[in-house]
Amino acid sequence: MRTLISTVILLAALSAGCAAEQAGALGNTSAGAGASAIRLPEGARLVDLTYPFDDKTIYWPTATTGFAHETVHYGKTEGGYFYSAYTLCAPEHGGTHLDAPIHFAEGKSTADAVPLSRLVGSAVVVDVSAAASRDRDYLVTRADIEAFERAHGAIEPLTIVLIRTGWGARWPDKKRYLGDDRPGHAEALHFPGIGEDAARALVARNVGAVGIDTASIDNGPSKDFITHRVLLGADIPAFENVASMESLPPRGALVIALPMKIRAGSGGPLRIVAALPR
């Protein structure tokens, strides 16, 4: 455990260094407000915020393929020792994954170019699960962001903002999670998302990244994907289908969100974990 915590602290320090180094390129002079403030005590615990990739992984309904994991070899070799290897194939956008800014914003960061300062940092959890339980198409508002800040303090630059709607309890039931489980149909989806005014409020705060426990940062009925366009247009990456947010406090977690580094990718599978002080 000591080694794990040392690794987390090292990543935080590296992120802070990256933030300072990249501030000029990002037009951000407040880079030090992210991971650099994190100092974890001995005994901190790690929480996995990632769903496994398997035959139950949920992808956007218009995806023509899902997650394919095929055996190359499993068992003893001619040399008498055990060996296993597989091939995998999957769309970029499904399961717990990254939306790189290029996904909806021409000329913005690709998956391999998202700065580490936006992938590792202190996190806040904005919990709108009560409102989402009453309205399955709920849109997070600017008022929700401001209410969080009144209760828990200002959201500082490069903070990773996680939106908890409670939808994780529905995974991996595709019909309950998406609102419609017909392949190829995306016109009748129902799940919560982030509204345009909230997205603009987060851009104004220069957050590092935004994550949500649903299939999209826009809600299910969205046709114009305005929240994608606002956040990704500001070069702010998004994390979708984030798991186990109920395990996180409103403040105090260090999030490490490392996607597959796909050159020129619009996104990709994401392993995201949180480190929490006991």
Side-chain angles (χ1 to χ4, degrees):
M1 187 63 177
R2 185 184 300 273
T3 301
L4 284 173
I5 299 305
S6 297
T7 300
V8 170
I9 293 172
L10 175 59
L11 282 169
L14 286 173
S15 175
C18 288
E21 183 178 83
Q22 293 156 350
L26 292 172
N28 170 24
T29 58
S30 303
S36 60
I38 297 294
R39 293 295 183 269
L40 295 180
E42 181 66 26
R45 61 189 180 92
L46 301 179
V47 177
D48 196 342
L49 304 178
T50 315
Y51 292 115
F53 283 83
D54 56 24
D55 58 355
K56 295 181 177 62
T57 297
I58 295 174
Y59 286 87
W60 199 250
T62 53
T64 57
T65 62
F67 182 75
H69 192 235
E70 299 179 356
T71 302
V72 174
H73 185 89
Y74 186 95
K76 283 191 175 181
T77 66
E78 293 180 357
Y81 53 86
F82 175 82
Y83 174 75
S84 67
Y86 306 84
T87 61
L88 62 86
C89 182
E92 288 179 329
H93 299 276
T96 305
H97 71 281
L98 165 80
D99 276 5
I102 190 68
H103 187 37
F104 272 80
E106 185 177 7
K108 299 299 183 180
S109 298
T110 54
D112 58 312
V114 175
L116 288 176
S117 58
R118 292 193 178 275
L119 300 175
V120 179
S122 56
V124 299
V125 179
V126 179
D127 190 340
V128 297
S129 56
S133 70
R134 297 188 294 269
D135 178 3
R136 62 179 179 169
D137 297 325
Y138 185 74
L139 285 170
V140 178
T141 66
R142 180 186 297 270
D144 290 321
I145 303 301
E146 293 171 347
F148 173 89
E149 291 185 311
R150 286 194 298 273
H152 302 288
I155 297 174
E156 298 177 344
L158 289 186
T159 297
I160 295 175
V161 177
L162 301 177
I163 305 295
R164 180 177 179 243
T165 70
W167 239 242
R170 301 172 179 235
W171 183 279
D173 186 326
K174 186 180 294 187
K175 180 69 177 289
R176 293 186 64 234
Y177 192 76
L178 295 178
D180 188 358
D181 61 355
R182 295 175 297 160
H185 289 270
E187 71 276 9
L189 302 181
H190 292 283
F191 52 80
I194 302 168
E196 180 180 357
D197 65 335
R200 295 196 184 281
L202 294 172
V203 169
R205 288 157 175 77
N206 190 27
V207 301
V210 177
I212 196 167
D213 58 352
T214 68
S216 172
I217 53 175
D218 282 283
N219 72 354
S222 177
K223 297 298 185 289
D224 60 5
F225 300 99
I226 186 61
T227 295
H228 275 87
R229 290 157 53 197
V230 169
L231 287 174
L232 276 56
D235 225 17
I236 296 171
F239 312 142
E240 295 171 333
N241 300 317
V242 178
S244 301
M245 279 197 202
E246 69 279 2
S247 301
L248 303 184
R251 280 193 181 273
L254 168 68
V255 163
I256 305 166
L258 300 181
M260 182 181 291
K261 194 172 182 179
I262 301 172
R263 188 178 300 281
S266 71
L270 178 72
R271 187 65 183 269
I272 176 171
V273 301
L276 301 175
R278 290 195 183 275

